[in-house]
Amino acid sequence: MKLGSLTRHLGLAAVALLAIAACGSSPGGGSASCSESAAKTTTSAASCGGMDALVAAAKAEGKLNVIALPRDWANYGAILDAFAAKYSIKITSDNPDGSSQDEVNAVQQLGTTSRAPDVLDVGMAVALANTQLFAPYKVSTWGDILDSQKEPTGIWFQDYGGFMSIGYDSSKVPTISSIDDLMGSAFKGKVALNGDPTKANAALNGVMMANLAKGGTLDDITKGVDFFHNLKQAGNFTPVQATTATVKNGTTPVVFDWDYLSAAHGTDVPSWKVFVPNGAILGGYYAQAINKNAPHPAAARLWEEYLYSNDGQNLWLAGLARPVRQAAMEKAGTIDKAAAAKLPPVNGTPKFMSDAQATAAKNYLVAHWLAAIS
Amino acid sequence: MAVARRGFRRTRWIKLQVFRYVVFALAAVFFLVPLFAMFEFSTRGKYGERTLQYWQSVFQYPDLIDWNFGPAPDAAINASLELALITSLVMLVLLVPTMVWVRLKLRRLNRVVEFICLLPLTIPAIVLVVGLFPMYLWLGTNFSDSILTLALAYVVLVLPYCYRSLDAGLGGIDVKTLSEAARSLGASWFSVIWRVIVPNISNAILNAVLLSVALVLGEYTIANNLLYNNLQVELVHLGRTNAGVSIAVAGASLVFAFVLLVIIAFIGGRGRRVYAEPAAVFAGPLQGSQA
Amino acid sequence: MTVAGIPAVATRAGRPLLGGRRFSLDWLGTVPFFAYVVSFLLLPSAIIAIGAFESASGGITLDNFSHLSRSYIVKTTIDTTTLSAVTALVGAAMGALLSYAIVTGSPNGVLRRVVVSASGVLAQFGGVTLAFAFIASIGPAGFVYLFAQSHGLDYYAHGIWLFTVPGLAVVYLYFQIPLMVLVFLPALDGIKPQWREATESLGGTTWQYWRYVAGPILFPAFLGATLLLFANAFSAYATANALINQGAPMLSQQISNALSSEVGAAEPGFAKSIAVEMIIIVTLVTVGYTLLQRRASRWL
């Protein structure tokens, strides 16, 4: 038994060596081809023989693994379909409800296997904590991204974002013009957060937005937690998970959520409105990263190129998210004006949490959230 | 329990029927009202009108089914059906002989087997998958990373339920007597299990199969966290279209599983309770059932 | 021809046995089962248990276990155990009654097969959709509540109990009862009508029949099924998470927070130590169940 398994392992090793040797010598390609091993480490399309070579290499790979991209999140459904159709690459979309941490867990646990995720779309906290897992890459439109929204070598780069908002069904609750309206008796058992703030990024930002609206600062989330405590005492805060179904059914007619996610409820509820309190414009961007051990490196890089092309950015815009190249595209006139006009209006200067502020908020929440909402 | 319908037992029979109908009525209310709520919601349109569009979009989803049943199923329903089949078979082959053997020969191991068969249920699936990852990595690199390897984990997941059902069935027949009688008549162990024990616990086996098929069709967490797309994962994808579809899809999944289980119950279960009386053993182990 | 008294050894048919070493041969019969279980259950469990001793930087630590004494973990443990016990006992009792109602009907009938198939489906029905089914029916915007409210019965006047742990128990019964039906029905099938007739012919009443004849036979299966229901509720995650998404009141939700938190509160080692705690609790309950069974078999 032992000898048999030894010879089998030796045999596998021999086959593997032969395969690597065969792959290493690319079949007589010229300088305009992007081989598998080159694609793994290339930091831009140019250095791998140009866009056409990248496209050819990606098509040769034929597959792309993505993770945690629900179809109704910032119009990802349309983006996945468009990419698959344009390049005839089969996309495997896994774990649609996964969190950013789940994406990183999957990358770590699946290592170098062929089912590991190729690309990630994660929140900033998770991106900054896991840079050792990513491969640096600069898309062709790299220059359009502000320096504050990308890592200099291309380990991560922000993709789209929005502002934290209060979405509500205007046919079930009165119009909201200030956050204090939520304390009224018309909102009994109707206000929900999108998740638990000690777990979900969107919920943490929801509490921080309430904090800012009640006069707090980015460094101290106390007023936000107190607001939800009072909301709970008044009987207005509901702990149930807010889904499209509970919104349409009327169980959670008021939801704290990113404006682009909130706007999606409009397809189910025609009277859905999105409200951002004055002086509490809290923005949050997500970031793209490429798995260092991506099983389909060329396809992964092509995906990034597509997302940051005008087509990709406009598709995100159609999902009511604000793409990171928005300012540059408006200047160049390549933006989809009709979609841009539909964005929820924002009056004032947006604020963004730094990593340190987010950590401080998390620490306070872990210590006080449960007691506040019990 | 067979009902004795002798005249002077009439009052007891009436009481029993009243009891049955009350229980069924209460059960019907408790179980059907939430299902009705789901159905009502999934046919409610944007403006409150009745519509079947959400149910229609479920059946029009392309990745759900295709007629390629094989070792590399493309569509989610195919994968889940094949997984259900493999899981049920492996579970039966693994559990029935082992449980019979332990009852006959190794009574001391009974508690050990019972505890092991309860263990998969004590660990929430979300953390069990963390422990399964290394195994699946090894399987993926050395054998296959097909979605059908999920069956190996699913057999473990159904162990608690199937063990209970089979244990209840085996407890109701006299395994020792039956097997000794069969062995003394010259049967091999395979015959004892296949031709003597199994027909006598056919109801328990049927219930175990129903449990395991239902579990495999409804399993989400392990497949999702191992990054496989089985039926439930695809339905979550599909459900993200809008609210109506998310509930229609769940309803369709329930209906699908129900229809499948009814078919299995009608084909597999002959519905007969075979009493392991000594007389039956001497006359032949299959007397009383038209196996 | 006698049946008893003949050692179960066939010298012609079947496998030849080594003389006198039946001990080792008997163990062989369980090898496939144990080999399978070791690879796909015990090994993952061991990986989880070992992971509970790992710190964030990769060293060995007992911190994860000491974190189990955090006050909210203690409360969550008590709540989860209580909820599981209550839904197990209530679900077992109701499920047993429903099983009895089924089994007293025609054994080949359509009713039995349909109810058993429905039980199979509903026993595995859970998660976000089950939660929504209850929300849409008896929830604050559900038609049952609106109907009751319009007729004067406002059962949420003192707070929406559906989104609290007691409300969760009601929802859990939805899959506990069908599960009980499925695992207990085979035990009821084993009750022979002759026993009832014998009891009656000896002058026994219905109560005496259940207390002295059928009850003791069914008790082990009933207890085993209750234990299964306990473990089922104990590790349930998705339904609890859909109904009470804030504050992680169930242990499985605490594990999920520790594994998947994307705001930086993820502690994978702690998640594993909670899992180990859950295994220990169910082990203790199983020990209790074993002792109870042994006791009961003496009383009954």
Side-chain angles (χ1 to χ4, degrees):
Chain A
M1 189 93 80
K2 273 193 191 163
L3 189 60
S5 103
L6 177 63
T7 45
R8 194 180 72 222
H9 285 304
L10 278 178
L12 276 173
V15 170
L17 278 170
L18 280 171
I20 291 172
C23 287
S25 52
S26 45
S31 57
S33 79
C34 192
S35 71
E36 168 102 21
S37 46
K40 242 179 139 48
T41 53
T42 186
T43 55
S44 73
S47 64
C48 196
M51 265 303 276
D52 291 333
L54 186 64
V55 172
K59 282 189 177 171
E61 283 172 357
K63 286 202 199 147
L64 179 71
N65 295 341
V66 299
I67 185 172
L69 298 184
R71 292 184 66 88
D72 60 350
W73 180 289
N75 206 20
Y76 257 117
I79 297 176
L80 290 166
D81 292 341
F83 181 83
K86 181 167 181 184
Y87 296 110
S88 310
I89 292 179
K90 183 167 171 3
I91 303 183
T92 308
S93 176
D94 293 321
N95 199 349
D97 280 335
S99 69
S100 302
Q101 185 62 39
D102 289 332
E103 296 184 49
V104 161
N105 290 346
V107 165
Q108 286 169 322
Q109 280 159 333
L110 282 172
T112 50
T113 66
S114 66
R115 296 189 309 109
D118 287 310
V119 288
L120 295 93
D121 182 10
V122 290
M124 282 311 300
V126 173
L128 290 169
N130 292 285
T131 50
Q132 76 280 8
L133 297 175
F134 310 144
Y137 185 77
K138 294 185 186 175
V139 290
S140 337
T141 50
W142 184 254
D144 285 345
I145 310 175
L146 293 175
D147 287 338
S148 59
Q149 294 189 297
K150 62 194 182 193
E151 196 272 344
T153 62
I155 295 271
W156 54 262
F157 27 100
Q158 289 180 349
D159 44 17
Y160 58 86
F163 300 111
M164 186 44 64
S165 67
I166 303 174
Y168 65 100
D169 184 348
S170 55
S171 70
K172 295 214 161 67
V173 295
T175 309
I176 302 177
S177 51
S178 125
I179 200 169
D180 293 313
D181 290 348
L182 295 179
M183 297 293 299
S185 57
F187 291 86
K188 230 172 168 58
K190 294 191 154 86
V191 183
L193 265 178
N194 186 6
D196 184 314
T198 57
K199 185 175 184 202
N201 190 30
L204 184 141
N205 278 276
V207 178
M208 180 55 88
M209 183 266 268
N211 183 47
L212 294 176
K214 295 294 286 182
T217 66
L218 288 175
D219 300 302
D220 182 5
I221 202 172
T222 319
K223 291 204 170 78
V225 177
D226 289 341
F227 171 75
F228 279 97
H229 174 70
N230 294 335
L231 204 62
K232 170 79 184 176
Q233 296 296 102
N236 291 8
F237 183 56
T238 179
V240 73
Q241 186 181 29
T243 63
T244 50
T246 59
V247 163
K248 183 177 176 184
N249 152 267
T251 310
T252 55
V254 183
V255 186
F256 279 72
D257 206 352
W258 295 117
D259 55 1
Y260 53 91
L261 295 182
S262 198
H265 292 304
T267 55
D268 288 314
V269 175
S271 44
W272 190 256
K273 292 198 166 70
V274 172
F275 165 71
V276 179
N278 280 338
I281 305 170
L282 181 65
Y285 273 77
Y286 278 77
Q288 288 285 323
I290 299 180
N291 179 6
K292 211 165 44 176
N293 296 318
H296 314 104
R301 285 157 177 79
L302 184 62
W303 170 255
E304 298 299 341
E305 293 289 350
Y306 182 75
L307 290 178
Y308 288 84
S309 69
N310 293 335
D311 285 342
Q313 298 277 298
N314 276 326
L315 279 173
W316 268 328
L317 191 61
L320 293 168
R322 288 152 215 276
V324 74
R325 286 180 56 223
Q326 185 176 3
M329 282 166 71
E330 273 167 356
K331 226 189 278 179
T334 47
I335 199 145
D336 179 349
K337 293 202 174 57
K342 290 209 192 106
L343 286 174
V346 159
N347 306 315
T349 346
K351 299 194 177 102
F352 294 84
M353 273 197 282
S354 73
D355 198 38
Q357 287 165 333
T359 308
K362 176 262 293 181
N363 289 336
Y364 186 83
L365 283 166
V366 166
H368 296 96
W369 179 250
L370 183 61
I373 52 128
S374 294
Chain B
M1 207 156 316
V3 173
R5 294 193 195 192
R6 301 177 198 138
F8 65 97
R9 296 284 169 233
R10 190 119 185 102
T11 39
R12 183 153 63 84
W13 185 80
I14 290 176
K15 271 197 246 174
L16 181 66
Q17 294 308 311
V18 165
F19 164 79
R20 293 183 73 222
Y21 283 116
V22 165
V23 166
F24 283 134
L26 290 174
V29 167
F30 181 67
F31 289 105
L32 292 179
V33 165
L35 292 176
F36 172 74
M38 272 177 60
F39 180 72
E40 187 276 328
F41 181 81
S42 64
T43 53
R44 194 200 305 170
K46 228 162 100 157
Y47 300 97
E49 76 279 18
R50 289 292 128 206
T51 172
L52 280 177
Q53 66 184 61
Y54 305 125
W55 281 84
Q56 278 167 345
S57 64
V58 173
F59 295 108
Q60 286 159 1
Y61 194 60
D63 285 330
L64 220 44
I65 188 165
D66 80 81
W67 297 108
N68 168 33
F69 282 97
D74 278 336
I77 286 191
N78 299 40
S80 283
L81 286 174
E82 290 179 32
L83 279 169
L85 181 67
I86 299 173
T87 306
S88 306
L89 283 175
V90 174
M91 176 272 296
L92 286 174
V93 165
L94 208 57
L95 266 187
V96 173
T98 308
M99 286 173 73
V100 169
W101 194 255
V102 165
R103 262 173 195 265
L104 289 177
K105 305 277 190 191
L106 299 161
R107 294 220 72 112
R108 283 164 299 160
L109 273 190
N110 212 14
R111 289 288 169 227
V112 174
V113 173
E114 189 171 13
F115 179 70
I116 286 180
C117 286
L118 193 62
L119 204 54
L121 206 48
T122 68
I123 314 173
I126 36 172
V127 75
L128 185 61
V129 78
V130 172
L132 282 171
F133 250 116
M135 193 64 185
Y136 270 86
L137 271 178
W138 180 84
L139 268 177
T141 40
N142 293 317
F143 292 103
S144 155
D145 63 358
S146 152
I147 190 174
L148 295 181
T149 53
L150 275 177
L152 297 169
Y154 285 169
V155 169
V156 163
L157 288 185
V158 303
L159 277 182
Y161 308 99
C162 298
Y163 175 85
R164 266 306 140 210
S165 173
L166 292 171
D167 190 57
L170 282 172
I173 64 173
D174 191 349
V175 179
K176 195 162 154 55
T177 310
L178 282 174
S179 61
E180 280 181 6
R183 292 283 290 169
S184 69
L185 289 168
S188 67
W189 278 113
F190 177 75
S191 284
V192 169
I193 291 182
W194 181 244
R195 293 173 59 202
V196 177
I197 306 283
V198 163
N200 279 293
I201 54 168
S202 62
N203 271 341
I205 288 182
L206 176 69
N207 280 15
V209 168
L210 291 182
L211 277 165
S212 72
V213 169
L215 185 140
V216 171
L217 287 180
E219 206 286 321
Y220 172 72
T221 314
I222 304 256
N224 187 46
N225 286 46
L226 285 175
L227 301 193
Y228 285 110
N229 284 356
N230 72 350
L231 178 64
Q232 290 300 320
V233 176
E234 278 298 340
L235 292 185
V236 167
H237 273 295
L238 176 55
R240 285 292 205 143
T241 318
N242 60 51
V245 173
S246 69
I247 302 300
V249 115
S253 165
L254 283 180
V255 168
F256 174 69
F258 178 67
V259 166
L260 186 63
L261 292 191
V262 165
I263 293 175
I264 295 175
F266 270 91
I267 294 177
R270 287 176 183 88
R272 247 159 237 85
R273 286 183 298 277
V274 181
Y275 306 121
E277 302 161 284
V281 169
F282 285 113
L286 301 181
Q287 191 223 18
S289 76
Q290 298 151 17
Chain C
M1 196 189 306
T2 55
V3 171
I6 296 180
V9 172
T11 52
R12 286 183 291 120
R15 290 197 294 270
L17 297 172
L18 297 173
R21 294 303 310 275
R22 276 173 50 187
F23 183 71
S24 59
L25 201 68
D26 290 349
W27 277 93
L28 255 177
T30 58
V31 160
F33 175 76
F34 280 107
Y36 192 93
V37 154
V38 162
S39 327
F40 287 97
L41 176 61
L42 297 180
L43 200 56
S45 307
I47 291 174
I48 294 169
I50 292 172
F53 290 98
E54 278 173 5
S55 72
S57 45
I60 311 241
T61 174
L62 281 177
D63 280 349
N64 293 322
F65 285 98
S66 68
H67 288 331
L68 287 174
S69 58
R70 288 173 180 165
S71 61
Y72 63 87
I73 293 288
V74 173
K75 179 173 195 306
T76 309
T77 308
I78 296 174
D79 284 345
T80 314
T81 312
T82 317
L83 175 74
S84 309
V86 166
T87 55
L89 289 166
V90 174
M94 293 186 171
L97 287 174
L98 186 56
S99 308
Y100 184 63
I102 296 169
V103 93
T104 47
S106 152
N108 309 336
V110 172
L111 175 76
R112 173 166 175 149
R113 287 180 217 221
V114 165
V115 172
V116 164
S117 305
S119 299
V121 174
L122 295 180
Q124 296 297 333
F125 178 42
V128 181
T129 326
L130 175 64
F132 182 73
F134 271 83
I135 289 172
S137 49
I138 63 172
F143 61 83
V144 173
Y145 175 67
L146 296 174
F147 180 81
Q149 201 182 29
S150 65
H151 286 72
L153 176 65
D154 184 353
Y155 55 77
Y156 288 138
H158 300 291
I160 304 179
W161 48 262
L162 183 63
F163 305 138
T164 61
V165 176
L168 191 59
V170 173
V171 180
Y172 271 20
L173 284 177
Y174 198 85
F175 54 78
Q176 294 283 62
I177 294 176
L179 181 61
M180 180 64 179
V181 166
L182 274 175
V183 297
F184 193 57
L185 216 47
L188 282 175
D189 281 340
I191 302 286
K192 304 174 195 173
Q194 290 85 348
W195 299 344
R196 190 71 192 255
E197 290 160 21
T199 317
E200 276 165 15
S201 69
L202 288 169
T205 63
T206 304
W207 159 247
Q208 283 169 327
Y209 168 70
W210 283 108
R211 168 70 181 85
Y212 295 108
V213 182
I217 308 266
L218 291 173
F219 192 67
F222 180 82
L223 214 54
T226 311
L227 180 65
L228 179 72
L229 261 56
F230 175 85
N232 194 31
F234 198 64
S235 64
Y237 166 70
T239 316
N241 200 42
L243 274 177
I244 316 177
N245 201 231
Q246 299 292 338
M250 296 286 116
L251 275 178
S252 49
Q253 291 174 279
Q254 289 290 343
I255 292 182
S256 175
N257 275 17
L259 279 178
S260 310
S261 171
E262 51 179 7
V263 301
E267 300 173 85
F270 183 48
K272 292 168 194 159
S273 70
I274 300 180
V276 171
E277 186 196 29
M278 290 176 80
I279 298 177
I280 292 176
I281 292 179
V282 172
T283 310
L284 289 173
V285 173
T286 311
V287 167
Y289 146 82
T290 313
L291 290 173
L292 189 58
Q293 257 209 16
R294 241 177 255 161
R295 274 285 150 83
S297 65
R298 269 184 260 146
W299 294 333
L300 298 172

